[in-house]
Each structure stands twice: as C-alpha cells, then as structure tokens.
Amino acid sequence: MNMPLNNALQIIIPTRGDLCAKGEELFIPGMEYYSVLCKGDEKGITRQDFCLNCWELFARHDFTKSSQTYWKSKVPPKKKAPAAPLHRNEKALELLKASVACDQMEDQAEAFVLAVYLARKKLLYLRDEVLDESGKRIQFYEVAATEEMIGVPKIDLSAIPIDKIQSNLAKKLNT
Ligand SMILES: [Zn+2]
C-alpha cells in the first residue's frame, strides 16, 4: 500500500480572478458568477470567470458547452474573525488538504474519502474531473466557503480497505 502515486499534484487549478474576464467588473461578496475551465492546450488548464451579464453574452457567442466545463458559483461573504476551536467539518477540510499533499496511497485514499464526505455535506462542490498525464482521474473540488480549488485523485473505493481508512479518519477527527 505504500506505492507513491506520481504527480497528480502538478495539475494546477486556477482560482477565481478578481475581475470579470469580459467586462472587468469587480467580484464582490454575494455576487454570483460563472466559471469556465478550458483544458488540453499547452498552457494546461485555464479559467475564466464572468459576471452574470457578461456570461449571457459569452454563453451565447463564444462558448461550446460540449468541450468545456462550467459552473455557477457565488462570492462568499467576507470572512469573520477566526473562530476558536475547529468544527469537525473544518477539521476534515484541513485534513483533506494535508492528505492530498502527500503522495502515499493511504493519504490519497484518505483525501478522496474526505472529499466525498465533504461534498455530501455541501462544503465542497465537485466541479470537474480530468485525466492527468499518467491516465489517473483527478476530481476538482471547490471549497464552498472560500472558492479555493483542490485537485483530488479519484480512488476506486472497492480497491482500498475502506473500513480501516474510515476508522483512522474518525480517530484523527476526534482528537
Ligand atoms: Zn462582466
């Protein structure tokens, strides 16, 4: 189980820009927007974000739905002062970020299990899935509260000791 996975982590998912890609409107808290990912060219993955007005124009003229991934999202409210102890779900998110940065199979499996859990809780949104250069599937999740993007290698859950992973995770989350 200690086989290193080679470098899923080199896929860099761009985060939202500060301005609309077309009209350069500033994205402010509470504002809805659309994001489009373009893949496959030499620059890797590129991203454009549009305010709703510009999106309508863009979607009508320049957008080929069949070849591009897009989603609608919302700029989250301004962050409040940091709260004291981490809520269980926040802990799970921190753990996910730590696990996904490690290249051991167990860590990657934990990361995927956590991502699925957090997506079910609607704290992450699954935005896209791509194949990396080695043919591995990478799922792109957006953190609902911060719009941060996290790439998580997709794991075949039937091929891993899921009970063991879940009980390890439960221990880590309860400490
Ligand atoms: Zn715009």
Side-chain angles (χ1 to χ4, degrees):
M1 275 314 257
N2 279 335
M3 263 183 27
L5 293 166
N6 58 18
N7 258 322
L9 311 168
Q10 283 181 353
I11 293 188
I12 293 165
I13 312 159
T15 50
R16 176 177 58 74
D18 292 331
L19 303 174
C20 169
K22 203 173 177 83
E24 302 195 332
E25 294 85 355
L26 183 65
F27 291 119
I28 54 171
M31 197 166 156
E32 292 181 308
Y33 63 90
Y34 281 89
S35 297
V36 187
L37 292 185
C38 306
K39 327 164 251 231
D41 63 8
E42 283 159 11
K43 284 181 289 179
I45 295 169
T46 56
R47 172 172 176 165
Q48 288 185 297
D49 309 290
F50 298 93
C51 71
L52 296 190
N53 285 339
C54 293
W55 172 257
E56 273 189 33
L57 294 168
F58 176 77
R60 204 175 302 146
H61 298 295
D62 307 319
F63 181 58
T64 45
K65 278 188 184 159
S66 57
S67 65
Q68 291 171 304
T69 301
Y70 75 100
W71 64 84
K72 187 179 186 185
S73 194
K74 192 176 189 174
V75 182
K78 274 242 162 53
K79 268 193 206 143
K80 294 181 211 111
L86 285 186
H87 187 266
R88 184 185 171 89
N89 289 336
E90 288 164 337
K91 237 191 224 177
L93 183 59
E94 291 306 309
L95 201 52
L96 163 61
K97 289 183 197 166
S99 315
V100 88
C102 302
D103 62 4
Q104 298 297 315
M105 189 66 197
E106 284 102 333
D107 297 311
Q108 301 279 300
E110 277 191 10
F112 183 63
V113 170
L114 285 165
V116 170
Y117 165 79
L118 290 165
R120 209 175 290 147
K121 299 267 174 194
K122 300 217 169 14
L123 298 171
L124 294 183
Y125 301 123
L126 177 59
R127 293 307 194 189
D128 199 6
E129 184 173 310
V130 298
L131 288 177
D132 74 359
E133 280 166 8
S134 63
K136 207 158 8 98
R137 292 193 171 278
I138 311 292
Q139 295 190 325
F140 293 170
Y141 289 91
E142 182 184 12
V143 181
T146 61
E147 304 169 283
E148 187 182 351
M149 301 293 292
I150 305 176
V152 183
K154 190 175 182 181
I155 307 282
D156 177 4
L157 290 178
S158 67
I160 56 172
I162 184 78
D163 291 347
K164 189 176 153 226
I165 287 167
Q166 280 174 335
S167 78
N168 282 346
L169 283 173
K171 267 181 235 154
K172 289 183 190 177
L173 290 174
N174 287 328
T175 49

